[in-house]
Amino acid sequence: MDVLTENFSLYGKGFLGTLALTVYASVLALVLGFLMASFRVAPVGSLRVLGTVWVTVLRNTPLTLLFFAVLLGLPRFGLVLPFQVFAVLALGCYTSAFICEVLRSGINTVPTGQGEAARTLGMSFRQSLGSVVLPQAFRSVIPPVGSTLIALAKNSAIAGAFSVTELLGTYKTLNELGYSIIWSFVWIAVGYLIITLSISALFTVLEKRWGVAR
């Protein structure tokens, strides 16, 4: 317990850093994921191509390489932001590709007659997708979306290698102070468990309330 009690502020700062990365990147991933899923099923060919390229490139790019591209590449084009913002962009964009595919699989479970009925009533593609198709699709993909966001929380550990304050990076300071590396990692693991189990509990509640009964 000495590792935790004597370094509670350090752990707290790292925990809050990981929590902030997870929350902000999750919001970005959900927004971009919804947008790209809409593009992938849009009747406009150029939008479908954009969505396909986005998903293909990001799903097949190592996350560490994406961090290098964002944190070291964007400043060369004059875009200078705090490292935490760059980390949110890298995590959010990367995860959005997986959210997109999860949502697209959910859209495919919605009977085509639903969209056709909406268009018969005079709805545009945007209206039918937003009001009819996506709400039903989201109900069927609540568990996999939750799993994807849990993976995002764990992937946030990479940010520590790029001078971003987060939970895993606290082990460096603790190691320099001479604390047991094993117990340092035990309390780091506990912090990640708190975050991931909280996400799991949230999506369990959402699934019980809005999920499709199986």
Side-chain angles (χ1 to χ4, degrees):
M1 288 293 293
D2 290 346
V3 177
L4 178 64
T5 56
E6 295 176 6
N7 300 279
F8 192 78
S9 61
L10 179 63
Y11 273 112
K13 186 180 294 184
F15 179 83
L16 292 177
T18 294
L19 184 62
L21 279 175
T22 300
V23 171
Y24 294 137
S26 294
V27 172
L28 179 61
L30 288 170
V31 172
L32 289 177
F34 270 103
L35 183 63
M36 291 302 157
S38 302
F39 284 179
R40 295 211 67 184
V41 298
V44 181
S46 58
L47 293 180
R48 290 198 302 273
V49 170
L50 176 59
T52 301
V53 170
W54 180 273
V55 170
T56 301
V57 171
L58 291 177
R59 287 183 70 188
N60 293 285
T61 301
L63 181 55
T64 304
L65 180 59
L66 186 60
F67 264 89
F68 274 112
V70 172
L71 274 78
L72 303 180
L74 291 182
R76 292 180 177 271
F77 294 95
L79 184 59
V80 179
L81 296 169
F83 273 15
Q84 187 177 32
V85 176
F86 282 134
V88 168
L89 288 174
L91 276 172
C93 290
Y94 178 79
T95 308
S96 70
F98 296 90
I99 294 289
C100 170
E101 289 302 273
V102 168
L103 290 175
R104 191 167 71 95
S105 68
I107 290 172
N108 290 335
T109 66
V110 179
T112 55
Q114 297 280 343
E116 293 173 355
R119 288 191 291 273
T120 301
L121 294 174
M123 289 185 177
S124 64
F125 170 77
R126 182 185 301 176
Q127 291 172 327
S128 63
L129 186 69
S131 301
V132 179
V133 178
L134 279 179
Q136 296 183 68
F138 184 73
R139 292 181 61 200
S140 67
V141 298
I142 291 176
V145 167
S147 298
T148 303
L149 296 184
I150 287 173
L152 182 153
K154 293 183 288 186
N155 287 337
S156 68
I158 297 176
F162 297 89
S163 302
V164 176
T165 301
E166 53 80 42
L167 191 56
L168 183 60
T170 59
Y171 89 91
K172 299 176 184 177
T173 303
L174 294 171
N175 188 43
E176 292 172 356
L177 294 174
Y179 288 97
S180 169
I181 193 67
I182 295 176
W183 283 105
S184 298
F185 278 116
V186 165
W187 291 113
I188 289 172
V190 169
Y192 278 105
L193 276 173
I194 292 173
I195 293 174
T196 55
L197 290 177
S198 297
I199 296 173
S200 179
L202 172 62
F203 276 84
T204 298
V205 172
L206 293 176
E207 184 181 11
K208 287 181 179 179
R209 183 166 183 178
W210 289 305
V212 176
R214 300 185 187 280

